[in-house]
Amino acid sequence: MLLISDGNDWTRNTPLIEYPYIQKVYPAYDAEHLVENAHLQAEKHDYGYSKRAAMYNFFAYHLKLNSGNVIWSPTINEDFVTILPENALRVYTQDNPFTDIPGVF
């Protein structure tokens, strides 16, 4: 688990409250080495480059990806990323409507 937090929203307390608590839970599963906190004190709430870079490093390490092929300077090249329109991200649409399942919700 990677907790990405900053100093300008509700996550500002993550290094002092949530992260230490989670650090005490993970050893119960012999997984204390699998939780990290990337705290960016001077940042605000967004998913900007600095937060994505922390996520890239976390996934590269834990998924054993070859990050040697990534050009890190001056920033990670994200030209391959396609940002989908909001409608393409929806699970329930006119063609695939939500169906109420009795007893489930």
Side-chain angles (χ1 to χ4, degrees):
M1 173 187 285
L2 174 62
L3 301 167
I4 300 175
S5 56
D6 64 66
N8 199 24
D9 69 7
W10 68 91
T11 65
R12 70 182 154 272
N13 297 318
T14 296
L16 300 174
I17 298 174
E18 291 88 354
Y19 183 53
Y21 176 80
I22 291 170
Q23 282 182 300
K24 290 182 174 138
V25 171
Y26 268 58
Y29 300 96
D30 291 324
E32 57 271 12
H33 60 287
L34 296 177
V35 62
E36 298 176 29
N37 176 217
H39 185 70
L40 304 157
Q41 181 62 36
E43 302 270 337
K44 60 182 171 84
H45 184 84
D46 64 10
Y47 199 50
Y49 176 76
S50 57
K51 289 144 186 117
R52 292 192 313 274
M55 180 270 308
Y56 292 145
N57 282 309
F58 180 84
F59 277 101
Y61 177 77
H62 289 283
L63 298 177
K64 297 177 179 25
L65 302 175
N66 181 1
S67 60
N69 293 329
V70 176
I71 299 170
W72 294 90
S73 181
T75 62
I76 297 172
N77 181 348
E78 297 176 313
D79 290 346
F80 65 92
V81 175
T82 302
I83 298 175
L84 299 172
E86 183 179 339
N87 289 348
L89 300 172
R90 294 188 182 276
V91 172
Y92 301 110
T93 63
Q94 211 168 21
D95 296 331
N96 184 40
F98 176 78
T99 304
D100 189 17
I101 303 170
V104 174
F105 295 104

